[in-house]
Amino acid sequence: MSTLFNNIASLVSNTDAHFANPALIVEEGKIAWIGEASAAPAADARVDLQNKTVIPGFVDSHAHLMFAGDRAEEFSARMQGQAYSAGGIKTTVAATREASDAQLEANLSRLVAEMHASGITTFETKSGYGLDVETESRSLAIAAKHTSETTFLGAHVVPQEFKDKSDEYVELVKNQMLTAAAPHAKWIDVFCDRGAFNVDQAREILQAGIKAGLAPRIHANQLENIGAIQLAVELDCASADHCTHLTHQDIDALANSNTVATLLPGAEFSTRSRYPDARKLIDAGVTVALATDCNPGSSYTTSMAFCIALAVREMHVSPAEALWSATMGGAKALRRDDIGHLSVGARADFAVIDAPSYIHLAYRPGVNLISDTYIAGRAITK
Ligand code: NIG
Ligand code: FE
């Protein structure tokens, strides 16, 4: 069964192809044809997109959706002057450990529905609010039912019961916790920063993960520069995330690597911190992804459009660059080539914007202009 989508005001494909009057045909979940509407071959069905805009679905390559509880009070205190620290994570850990599987899955499903409504068609999610063998492994087992992009983040922070015994905790993460988590995870991540894990600990954990068949990514340089970028490049991490505090050497290292710099401006917004220097990264030739970092502490948003607006307004990224980073950039951060672009053979993941062009994503901040989201050619109902 083939379906023609036409009457499209404008379309961003993330390829060299540009169409004045675009149309596309979807068959078996993939793009079977894309081109000028006047040249479209016959199809079994037709969807009139009512002169709206089509973009590749957003690829959210960094989120923390496996949690329970709420930290609104912490946010409120922060907005009144309290500093953000990695320690806040522990509040969520207590609630997450107490939550049943059904509660964790209901919370995840609610956030995923929000993501779909905001045009996200692929999301990554990390564990990291269990910090014990059982909760980390059940968090990932639940997540794996909803996405193939699951990340073991047992090394998010050192939990209370291992206070002043971080090396013992690292041993637990590298051994029993990794063994229990690995069957449900594709990636391994470490929060390598002040108040979390140092470079040597991060290296040990990521190497253990690689040995267990997981691919590495890393939280790097959000709060301080303790050398995490160099480690990211050394281990060929798919992505180094946050990248707020960087030296010239860090930027050079990223530019000469396969590691994507994933920027998470929702975190700077919600912690009232300095934004990363996206311009410097892009101008140096670093591949930049944009992601929501959806989590209950530092960035409780599922809106990629909001992150695009922040990137454009606060980080001097052009609307076109921001859209690329939120789609193709995210795909590269997940080392995926089947998503992030609209071309023949790609998965038919796209979002329909009720606006004449993608620029409206940043131009109309705070307004959800996404009218429809298609995953593998199937409309996701709001
Ligand atoms: O990406 N940086 C570490 N992890 C999250 C924050 C998690 C939290 O505060 O609960 C982040 O911003
Ligand atoms: Fe994060």
Side-chain angles (χ1 to χ4, degrees):
M1 159 98 179
S2 59
T3 306
L4 169 72
F5 292 80
N6 69 358
N7 197 9
I8 298 170
S10 65
L11 178 143
V12 177
S13 65
N14 285 341
T15 70
D16 293 336
H18 297 282
F19 309 107
N21 192 6
L24 55 89
I25 293 180
V26 172
E27 201 166 356
E28 283 170 12
K30 292 188 176 158
I31 311 273
W33 177 89
I34 185 163
E36 292 294 342
S38 58
D44 304 324
R46 197 176 79 92
V47 176
D48 180 338
L49 289 181
Q50 299 172 335
N51 209 28
K52 295 176 184 174
T53 291
V54 171
I55 57 170
F58 295 128
V59 178
D60 192 359
S61 59
H62 184 139
H64 305 246
L65 309 182
M66 302 314 302
F67 67 87
D70 175 285
R71 280 154 60 193
E73 294 303 327
E74 178 189 314
F75 174 77
S76 174
R78 197 158 63 233
M79 291 304 108
Q80 292 164 75
Q82 208 142 96
Y84 177 74
S85 85
I89 293 167
K90 288 168 190 153
T91 317
T92 307
V93 171
T96 304
R97 286 177 178 175
E98 276 170 29
S100 66
D101 285 3
Q103 285 166 330
L104 288 176
E105 187 155 26
N107 193 44
L108 169 66
S109 299
R110 177 179 63 87
L111 295 170
V112 172
E114 288 180 13
M115 286 182 157
H116 288 163
S118 82
I120 293 170
T121 48
T122 299
F123 69 94
E124 178 260 19
T125 183
K126 305 170 198 302
S127 63
Y129 291 114
L131 309 185
D132 61 29
V133 175
E134 188 225 322
T135 319
E136 285 295 303
S137 112
R138 68 191 178 97
S139 293
L140 287 163
I142 295 163
K145 294 201 268 169
H146 298 262
T147 181
S148 57
E149 305 298 340
T150 52
T151 302
F152 171 45
L153 180 59
H156 200 180
V157 284
V158 176
Q160 213 65 56
E161 63 274 19
F162 284 87
K163 194 171 182 282
D164 302 321
K165 295 185 288 188
S166 69
D167 285 336
E168 268 177 50
Y169 183 65
V170 169
E171 284 305 307
L172 176 68
V173 171
K174 278 167 51 185
N175 294 293
Q176 294 95 303
M177 207 184 279
L178 174 61
T179 305
H184 316 294
K186 173 171 173 185
W187 302 97
I188 181 156
D189 192 344
V190 175
F191 186 13
C192 181
D193 215 314
R194 168 175 28 102
F197 296 86
N198 66 36
V199 169
D200 291 334
Q201 293 171 325
R203 182 185 288 105
E204 271 185 52
I205 292 164
L206 292 176
Q207 278 173 336
I210 293 166
K211 237 190 186 155
L214 307 184
R217 43 202 318 108
I218 189 168
H219 277 72
N221 304 33
Q222 175 185 11
L223 308 174
E224 206 174 291
N225 188 345
I226 62 165
I229 296 293
Q230 303 297 330
L231 178 65
V233 171
E234 173 193 322
L235 296 181
D236 187 30
C237 286
S239 171
D241 300 47
H242 285 286
C243 296
T244 308
H245 302 270
L246 298 180
T247 62
H248 292 297
Q249 289 92 321
D250 291 332
I251 295 174
D252 280 351
L254 286 169
N256 292 308
S257 75
N258 284 320
T259 301
V260 171
T262 300
L263 308 185
L264 310 162
E268 278 75 36
F269 177 85
S270 301
T271 60
R272 197 175 279 138
S273 305
R274 161 158 87 76
Y275 288 90
D277 196 337
R279 240 346 336 130
K280 234 184 215 161
L281 286 162
I282 294 172
D283 293 344
V286 175
T287 302
V288 169
L290 207 53
T292 64
D293 194 16
C294 180
N295 77 76
S298 66
S299 182
Y300 202 5
T301 183
T302 46
S303 171
M304 191 67 92
F306 172 64
C307 298
I308 287 176
L310 288 178
V312 170
R313 170 66 178 83
E314 303 293 336
M315 303 185 341
H316 305 271
V317 173
S318 74
E321 288 168 331
L323 177 61
W324 189 92
S325 291
T327 51
M328 194 73 155
K332 287 185 181 293
L334 295 173
R335 300 216 164 148
R336 296 272 300 267
D337 55 20
D338 58 329
I339 53 174
H341 56 97
L342 298 176
S343 47
V344 172
R347 213 166 77 167
D349 286 5
F350 55 94
V352 180
I353 310 173
D354 193 358
S357 89
Y358 70 89
I359 298 171
H360 285 239
L361 291 168
Y363 174 47
R364 304 209 54 213
V367 181
N368 185 10
L369 296 173
I370 305 296
S371 65
D372 304 279
T373 303
Y374 287 85
I375 298 181
R378 241 173 22 88
I380 305 298
T381 40
K382 276 195 201 171

